[in-house]
Amino acid sequence: MTAYRGRFAPSPTGPLHAGSLVAALASWLDARAHGGRWLVRMEDVDTPRCIPGADTTILAQLAACHLLPDEPPQWQSKRGALYQAALGRLVRTRKAYPCACSRKDIEDALAAQGRPRVRGQEAPYPGTCRSGLHGRPARAWRLRVPEGVVRWTDRRLGPQQQDVATEVGDFVLRRADGLWAYQLAVVVDDADEGITHVVRGEDLADNTPRQLVLQRALGLGAPAYLHTPLVLAADGEKLSKQNGAMPLDLRDPLAAMNAAAAVLGLPGQATSLPDALAAWVRHWPFLQSPGD
Ligand code: GLU
């Protein structure tokens, strides 16, 4: 098996909370259980949503929890040249194209095709600009998604599938506001950093097929994926800042880590944090043998 390289990739839109700590702990445990390396990447491409200083806070929170990256952390905001090069490759091979559509244009086109917008769901792109801009100015760049169902096996959720072409359509690589889309940045970075195993929250599971499609378009291999259980807020939604997640209380990191471990089905430990981490590595249920 290629030497294991895992990562935790928080968006610095605020401090870590009980939910994001689960993904941090799970990715660290998976790396340690496989004798691998664990990296941290700040996903700060969506700059309007980032909070100044949240990156420093997150690194301090991880350190207080004894989750220390094996290599210097990376910031996506400094890696635009890599994303530009990847987009250039896709444009040259005609796998990406410019798009002039506003959100309203997309909704109108879908309505005209008899596919009205489903509330709460991102509208699939109807393909308007696939054949050219027809004189309209380019706003964004999209991937030309090939037809067919994308299948993959999640290490916890089992076999998964999505018809990306019809359910999502040609998705955005560079946004109309000039910012890089998460899908492009994460695929380029996972490949550039040699990530072999992605461990992250289950809310991102439905992004995986888009990332697999993009990896194929760029001629990149795919890492293995494990999506971890989410911490739910009182309203039943994924815990997030919007529904009242509190920043981690670092006066008692062991208590915060015990709570995160419980979400992962690991027994609580009353011992010191280093001993607790060592015990969880030994109990980690997602050990993959070579060739799995
Ligand atoms: N930045 C994403 C988040 O904080 C994680 C993306 C990923 O792990 O691929 O939810």
Side-chain angles (χ1 to χ4, degrees), residues 187-247:
V187 161
V188 168
D189 285 340
D190 282 339
D192 183 67
E193 295 189 273
I195 300 301
T196 58
H197 293 70
V198 169
V199 179
R200 60 186 178 193
E202 197 175 317
D203 55 316
L204 290 161
D206 65 354
N207 283 247
T208 307
R210 265 171 279 176
Q211 293 169 21
L212 294 170
V213 166
L214 191 44
Q215 285 154 1
R216 281 176 211 157
L218 285 164
L220 303 169
Y225 289 94
L226 191 169
H227 288 89
T228 57
L230 301 180
V231 177
L232 299 183
D235 60 4
E237 293 292 318
K238 178 202 165 193
L239 187 66
S240 69
K241 276 201 317 277
Q242 288 71 30
N243 58 22
M246 300 297 285

Side-chain angles (χ1 to χ4, degrees), residues 7-13 20 23 41-44 76 182 186 190 198-201 203-204 207 211 225 227 238:
R7 64 13 170 228
F8 174 54
S11 304
T13 52
S20 36
R41 177 200 308 147
M42 289 295 158
E43 295 207 327
D44 58 348
Q76 285 188 327
Y182 157 66
V186 75
D190 282 339
V198 169
V199 179
R200 60 186 178 193
D203 55 316
L204 290 161
N207 283 247
Q211 293 169 21
Y225 289 94
H227 288 89
K238 178 202 165 193

Side-chain angles (χ1 to χ4, degrees), residues 176-188:
D177 57 11
L179 296 177
W180 296 105
Y182 157 66
Q183 309 295 353
L184 180 70
V186 75
V187 161
V188 168

